[in-house]
């Protein structure tokens, strides 16, 4: 089976929550709850409030995954 392509968007971190969750404002004005990807946790990449990040959106409208810090 082929892995589905996820929509990739950019956003800005508004709030840091417990357990590496973040509230991120997208470019289109929406706010989404997001979490760090596994590679970012393993490599201990820090994400702070105000950082620009790249997200992969969940196709079902749940959370988004932060895949890169810009």
């Amino acid at each position: 089976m082929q892995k589905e392509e996820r929509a990739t968007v950019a956003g800005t971190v508004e709030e840091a929550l417990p357990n590496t969750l973040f509230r991120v404002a997208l470019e289109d004005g929406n706010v989404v709850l997001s979490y760090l990807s596994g590679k970012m946790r393993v490599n201990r990449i820090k994400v702070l409030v105000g950082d620009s990040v790249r997200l992969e959106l969940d196709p079902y409208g749940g959370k988004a995954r932060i895949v890169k810090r810009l």
Side-chain angles (χ1 to χ4, degrees):
M1 289 183 78
Q2 205 170 306
K3 185 176 177 183
E4 293 182 27
E5 286 291 322
R6 293 186 176 203
T8 305
V9 296
T12 305
V13 177
E14 284 188 340
E15 184 179 1
L17 302 169
N19 296 329
T20 65
L21 287 176
F22 298 92
R23 195 172 314 274
V24 179
L26 303 179
E27 291 176 336
D28 61 2
N30 292 333
V31 177
V32 66
L33 192 63
S34 60
Y35 59 93
L36 284 180
S37 67
K39 289 278 186 178
M40 291 185 72
R41 288 182 190 211
V42 167
N43 293 315
R44 296 187 176 143
I45 296 173
K46 304 292 184 205
V47 176
L48 303 172
V49 175
D51 285 346
S52 296
V53 293
R54 184 174 298 148
L55 305 163
E56 285 184 353
L57 294 177
D58 183 23
Y60 301 109
K63 296 179 184 174
R65 179 170 53 186
I66 298 174
V67 293
K68 186 170 185 174
R69 180 177 169 212
L70 303 174

